[in-house]
Each structure stands twice: as structure tokens, then as C-alpha cells.
Amino acid sequence: MEETRITKSDGVRIVSNMTDYDALSAAFSWQQGRALIDGLPGGKMNIAHEAVDRHVSAGYADQLALRWITKSGQRHDFTYGDLQREANRFANVLRAQGFQKGDRVYALLGRVPQLYIAALGTLKAGCTFCPLFSAFGPEPIRARMEIGGANALVTSARLYKRKVKGLRPDLPDLRQVFVIDDAAENTLPLADLMRVAPDHFKTEPMDPEETALLHFTSGTTGKPKGVVHVHDAVVAHNWTGHIALDLRAGDIYWCTADPGWVTGTSYGIVAPLTNRTSMIVDEAEFDVTRWYDILQNERVTVWYTAPTAIRMLMKAGTEAMQGYDFSALRFMASVGEPLNPEAVIWGNASFGQPFHDNWWQTETGGIMIANYAAADVKPGSMGQPLPGITAGIVEMDGDSGALREVTEPGAMGELALRAGWPSMMRGYLHEQARYDKCFRDGWYLTGDLAMRDADGYFWFVGRADDLIKSAGHLIGPFEVESALMEHPAVAEVGVIGIPDETAGELVKAYVALKPGYEPSEDLRLDLLGHARKHLGPAVAPKDIAFRQNLPKTRSGKIMRRLLKARELGLPEGDISTLESDES
Ligand code: AMP
């Protein structure tokens, strides 16, 4: 366990939103968190009201809400007033096309303003918003639209033609596709509809427990899981943004995550707007110079990014930072995968402050464990539970099967959270049993292994399952295996994550071929191409290796854990269920 500490000066503590972690943790209740939210008459609420309407009503219509930087570097600004009018127009378009409260509106878009407008307009209309990552291929898109019963989709003509058009016969619930740019057959032109739509809309008052957001996450087996979040989640989005990201009204805030994933929604749309910051949205992909230019030129004050990006910046070295002025930066945070201690220390040396690692998952809806502006940072640790959150290390008693909290400092076990915070998932869509399995004796079980030190800091150890984290994206091996199994040459396939210096892990597939097929470089490239076409670059394996056999259980399940241990030369662990020992 790393014992270095980056100690915060009293000055930093005093100016941060939270001055005393221990005192606030002892005193805070979610009732207090709820009091920070406006709410709507009769105990109703709506995330979009908290994000936009209330700021406009309070006189902040002219404050910058979103600055969009196009790939070519042009800036387009949207004030809170603009965002409200555009979201109202979108809500009116939905109504005019017959969409009602409870309908599910999906978005498959890059980082463009229409994505943010669609998200807010959908919530205003009382519909459920579900973002899809634009680098998904047709298979992940089909699975997620089928499971969620998508009723409407907002996309671009290019993405529609390449990825969605061919799926339409399989998506009977999909009533309308809105296209933001060029015309495409069987779709509606969103810009034309928006132009004539009224810019007033009465935001739908929702019960706090009604569904607002649907996010998909991967499972080790079976289909992706549709994680349900309700309007009440905004209480946690707002609070965690305030405490864990130290957001304040007027901040220039840049979350580099794509809204196709949960971070890009909770902390790329909701939390920054409820905290009345001005968000930077960059349409382009990662680029060292571009990122340093944005940080400097936009005078970013709070920056929320991810370990893969930080490692790429580190690789570019200090020369790439020469001459830049990052004096506006007040707080830097990271999430999504383990942040190595060197990256935290590099941040401190290069920017004059550490990256503050924090931990959460799609299911938790918001940040649960964090390093704070007001607390010392231990490089390599995820930090301490948020005020309002109780975290623990638990283990299953082998004989009785009962859950036991492990309190000895340094002991490893499964990371668990006391159930009941506002942004906790309310279900896996259509999968009650899978959902129920996540809860036990009042704990939510995260599926991550961790330990807690004597000071109450949590340290990530690994995942308890086979899920792969590559460049911050959670990838289910089953989804990748299923796509490869569709190739005529493939008899068996096992997919694992192999360590990678930059991306954390890379997806690698091990394939056993059907009789009549021989391993060759051509076949390997063909399989890689097949996977990329069906799954998209974000999910497809980066490498494929041929094997005669794959290790399996007696019931025929590929033992990914053993495959990984063998490939990486790690201890094999319990192999009592192994069917044959040939690999
Ligand atoms: P997702 O649901 O896609 O956001 O992925 C959540 C998972 O990412 C967690 O269960 C962890 O395995 C991993 N993760 C997220 N944040 C961290 C972190 N700060 N350190 C280590 N792993 C993390």
C-alpha cells in the first residue's frame, strides 16, 4: 500500500466547497441534499428543471451554459436561456410527434449541442433519455435499443445510414428517427421541426421515483444491463458535483467523458448544469496540443478526465506543456479506471495540484468515493466515501453464506455501499433477479475488490468478475464473444482484458477454429475486421490469437479467469471445475 501523502494547505481547504470532511460526513443527511434542489409543487421534480429552468427563473438566462468547440475549432455559445428555449423546442417536437411521458428517447450522436438539447428536452417532456456511444457498431446498438424498447432516436444521417437503417425491421417499438443534419429516408429532419416548434414548454412535473435516465452497462454473461435511474438522482448529481468536483456557479468546467457513457451524462450534463457552471464541450477526440489549448484558452477552472487520457498527456512529456498558462485551473479529477500513483504525482508536479481520483459505477449513478479538495490525497487511493455514503469491505462467510463486514485495516474484500442514496439504480430493465442479486443485508455489492486503510481511504484491487475496462469503457466479454461466434470459422472463443500501459486493458480474443479452418494471418485480420464491423471500434478486440482448445468448466463454460492467468503467467487459482487441462 502506497503511503505517500499530498497534503493540502489550509488555504485550499478554506476556499473549497467542503472545509472539513469528517465534520460534514458526520452531519450530512440526504434531506439536506434535497434542500439544495428546487423541486416542483406537490413534491414533484424534474432533472431538467434543476439543470436549466430554475437558473433562468432566478435571473441567469444570460450566463454561458455550454460552449461547443467544433472539430475545426469554432466556438458556439449557448446561454442558460438558449438551452432552455432549445430544450423546450425539442420537447414540443416530441409532443407534436405523439411522444408522451414514459416514452424512451435514445440518442446516437457525437459531442454536438443537439445531444445536450435532446437530453434536456426529453427530460422536460417526462420521457426517458438513453444515450448510446457513437463509436458502437450495429450489434451493441441493436441490443441496447431492443432491451430498452426505444421509441425515438436522435442521430445524424451518417450514423443512421451506417448503423441503424438495417436494424429497423428488428425494432418494432421505434416509431420515429430524428436526424440532425442531412435528409435520410424514413427519418424526420430535426432542424426543420425545431425551427417551427414553440420555445415555451411546461416542464413535466415528475414523481421523484419516475424513470429519467437509462444507461447500459455490460455484464460478464448475457445481454447488456439496462440501468434505470430516476429523477430523484439529481439530488445526488448536484451534491456530488458540489462536494467531489468542487463545482461552483460560474466555474468553467470541462468533463472530457462522452455522454454516451454514464460519466458524460451525470457529470457532463446534469451536475454541471444544476451547479450552474459553464460547460466546455469539445467535439474532437483526444489530442495533446488541443487539450492544453482548451485548458488554457477557455480558462478551465475544474477539469474532470480519465486515467487513459492522463497517461497519454504524461507520455507527451513536460515539453508539450511548455509556455502554457494553466493558472485558472482550481481542481482536477479523474475517474473510470485505476489511476496510478505516478499520474497523481505527475499532476502535482506539472499543474501544481494532484489529480483527484474518484470511484463510481453506472449503477451508483454518481460519485461514491473520492479524493477531495479539502482532504489530503494518497496517490493510488480512490479516496474516502462521500458525505451521505457509507462504504464497507465485505466478504461472504464460506459456511453460512452470510455477509460479513471486514473492518480490519488493509483486509481485502468486495467493495459494498449501504443501499439507499438518491442516484442508486432502481432496477436492471426486465431483469429483477439480476438486480436483486446486487443487494444483500442492506448492502449494494459493487463487484469490485478493494481494501480500506486505517485512515478510511479505499484502494482499488480489481474486479471480482471478468469485465474489461479499456480506455475507461466497461466491456462485457460475452458481447465480444457472441459477435465472433457468428463468424463461420469460429468454434470457441474466450475474451479477456490484457494489461496495457496507456488504456489500462486491451480487449483480446482467443479463438479455437472449426475443423477445416487453419490459423493464418489473413484469417486473423478477417476476424478482426468482422468484429470491428459488428461491434464498432470501442468494443472490438484489438488482438486475436488462435488456440487449439480453450480452458472450460465441466459444464462447457470458457474459464476466462484461467485463460487470463495462463496468458499472463499468473497463479491459476481454483481449477476444480476445469474440464480438461489442455490449453
Ligand atoms: P462503469 O459502470 O462503466 O462506470 O464502470 C464502473 C467500474 O469502473 C467500476 O466498478 C470499477 O471497476 C471501475 N472504476 C471506476 N472508477 C474507478 C477508479 N477510480 N479506480 C478504479 N476503478 C474504477
Side-chain angles (χ1 to χ4, degrees):
M1 200 180 290
E2 183 67 59
E3 278 307 335
T4 332
R5 242 176 210 266
I6 298 176
T7 310
K8 297 295 179 59
S9 73
D10 285 345
V12 170
R13 288 174 207 271
I14 288 161
V15 298
S16 66
N17 286 341
M18 171 173 66
T19 46
D20 184 337
Y21 171 77
D22 293 325
L24 189 62
S25 295
F28 179 77
S29 76
W30 285 109
Q31 269 325 97
Q32 287 164 270
R34 234 165 234 113
L36 300 173
I37 286 297
D38 214 12
L40 292 169
K44 304 283 185 184
M45 66 194 318
N46 190 305
I47 294 177
H49 170 82
E50 306 302 336
V52 174
D53 294 349
R54 74 162 165 154
H55 302 315
V56 173
S57 306
Y60 298 103
D62 293 336
Q63 187 193 312
L64 179 68
L66 188 160
R67 168 165 292 164
W68 180 50
I69 306 174
T70 67
K71 283 184 186 156
S72 63
Q74 285 174 320
R75 292 162 165 179
H76 295 269
D77 287 352
F78 294 79
T79 63
Y80 275 88
D82 295 333
L83 259 195
Q84 184 187 50
R85 282 187 290 277
E86 292 300 305
N88 285 348
R89 285 200 178 98
F90 186 78
N92 279 315
V93 168
L94 287 178
R95 283 285 185 275
Q97 294 299 323
F99 293 99
Q100 298 303 329
K101 200 174 137 174
D103 280 335
R104 286 162 304 271
V105 179
Y106 278 52
L108 177 70
L109 288 168
R111 287 181 297 278
V112 293
Q114 289 92 337
L115 172 55
Y116 298 78
I117 290 161
L120 294 165
T122 298
L123 294 169
K124 273 177 166 274
C127 299
T128 300
F129 182 68
C130 178
L132 295 174
F133 190 40
S134 58
F136 278 152
E139 279 313 314
I141 292 172
R142 179 213 304 271
R144 285 156 180 78
M145 289 182 76
E146 259 173 14
I147 296 167
N151 301 121
L153 173 71
V154 187
T155 187
S156 68
R158 190 180 65 91
L159 290 170
Y160 177 73
K161 287 178 193 157
R162 284 179 42 199
K163 303 184 179 189
V164 184
K165 198 173 157 203
L167 305 176
R168 284 202 74 171
D170 304 336
L171 301 170
D173 294 327
L174 185 61
R175 303 204 294 272
Q176 219 53 272
V177 174
F178 299 99
V179 167
I180 62 165
D181 38 27
D182 295 341
E185 204 186 316
N186 226 349
T187 66
L188 292 174
L190 185 62
D192 294 351
L193 299 174
M194 293 277 282
R195 209 167 295 124
V196 295
D199 64 7
H200 285 274
F201 185 87
K202 183 175 174 296
T203 297
E204 193 70 46
M206 302 296 284
D207 187 280
E209 287 300 310
E210 280 180 306
T211 304
L213 299 163
L214 179 63
H215 281 290
F216 282 88
T217 189
S218 298
T220 40
T221 55
K223 296 175 178 167
K225 301 176 276 191
V227 178
V228 174
H229 287 294
V230 297
H231 279 269
D232 199 40
V234 70
V235 173
H237 294 148
N238 182 60
W239 175 245
T240 54
H242 183 66
I243 293 299
L245 300 180
D246 205 43
L247 294 179
R248 298 170 204 168
D251 264 330
I252 308 291
Y253 168 73
W254 186 24
C255 170
T256 62
D258 191 284
W261 303 88
V262 73
T263 303
T265 305
S266 294
Y267 298 101
I269 304 179
V270 182
L273 293 177
T274 66
N275 281 286
R276 195 162 50 78
T277 72
S278 302
M279 308 189 295
I280 301 296
V281 173
D282 183 22
E283 188 185 21
E285 295 309 320
F286 175 86
D287 175 82
V288 176
T289 309
R290 187 174 172 106
W291 276 36
Y292 286 150
D293 283 347
I294 290 177
L295 286 172
Q296 170 185 270
N297 299 343
E298 304 304 332
R299 310 243 353 119
V300 171
T301 56
V302 178
W303 180 31
Y304 194 21
T305 189
T308 298
I310 297 170
R311 289 191 286 262
M312 291 196 285
L313 294 174
M314 279 173 79
K315 260 195 193 163
T318 35
E319 313 82 70
M321 307 175 84
Q322 290 306 313
Y324 280 100
D325 170 11
F326 300 128
S327 57
L329 258 181
R330 191 182 79 243
F331 190 76
M332 316 193 302
S334 164
V335 72
E337 29 166 341
L339 184 65
N340 25 325
E342 309 83 67
V344 179
I345 294 163
W346 176 77
N348 207 33
S350 312
F351 293 93
Q353 58 173 306
F355 284 101
H356 296 78
D357 187 19
N358 59 51
W359 176 97
W360 59 291
Q361 322 175 292
T362 307
E363 285 88 341
T364 70
I367 299 167
M368 298 282 107
I369 296 177
N371 286 287
Y372 305 97
D376 292 353
V377 169
K378 295 192 187 190
S381 162
M382 309 187 288
Q384 306 170 84
L386 215 96
I389 297 298
T390 305
I393 301 295
V394 299
E395 65 176 20
M396 223 68 87
D397 187 287
D399 297 327
S400 68
L403 203 68
R404 187 177 80 85
E405 186 176 359
V406 190
T407 50
E408 303 87 64
M412 196 184 85
E414 184 166 357
L415 177 61
L417 306 164
R418 277 273 163 218
W421 65 95
S423 64
M424 190 177 85
M425 68 163 166
R426 299 299 197 272
Y428 287 135
L429 215 57
H430 321 306
E431 296 206 76
Q432 188 65 36
R434 215 171 177 186
Y435 173 76
D436 290 343
K437 261 178 73 179
C438 298
F439 296 91
R440 189 121 174 218
D441 301 340
W443 290 101
Y444 162 71
L445 303 170
T446 67
D448 279 359
L449 300 175
M451 58 187 166
R452 177 176 40 197
D453 68 17
D455 299 323
Y457 281 65
F458 284 75
W459 299 71
F460 182 79
V461 174
R463 288 203 57 100
D465 55 28
D466 295 333
L467 293 181
I468 301 161
K469 258 281 156 127
S470 187
H473 302 146
L474 197 64
I475 296 166
F478 183 77
E479 207 168 4
V480 182
E481 289 162 1
S482 305
L484 280 168
M485 285 299 286
E486 282 168 21
H487 190 284
V490 176
E492 281 173 357
V493 52
V495 166
I496 60 171
I498 54 163
D500 179 77
E501 232 182 60
T502 306
E505 285 188 298
L506 287 183
V507 179
K508 182 162 180 179
Y510 294 84
V511 168
L513 296 172
K514 282 186 185 153
Y517 288 93
E518 289 298 323
S520 70
E521 185 54 14
D522 281 352
L523 183 53
R524 204 179 70 86
L525 294 176
D526 189 49
L527 287 169
L528 283 170
H530 166 93
R532 216 179 144 86
K533 179 165 167 243
H534 287 81
L535 296 166
V539 183
K542 296 283 178 291
D543 194 10
I544 290 181
F546 296 110
R547 292 287 177 270
Q548 281 290 101
N549 289 296
L550 297 172
K552 287 191 287 296
T553 61
R554 290 195 195 100
S555 58
K557 252 176 80 176
I558 308 258
M559 293 178 81
R560 298 187 191 110
R561 196 170 298 271
L562 188 55
L563 182 62
K564 187 163 181 167
R566 287 182 174 169
E567 293 305 322
L568 303 180
L570 304 171
E572 296 200 349
D574 179 8
I575 53 167
S576 56
T577 56
L578 183 67
E579 174 213 39
S580 71
D581 212 3
E582 310 152 30
S583 58

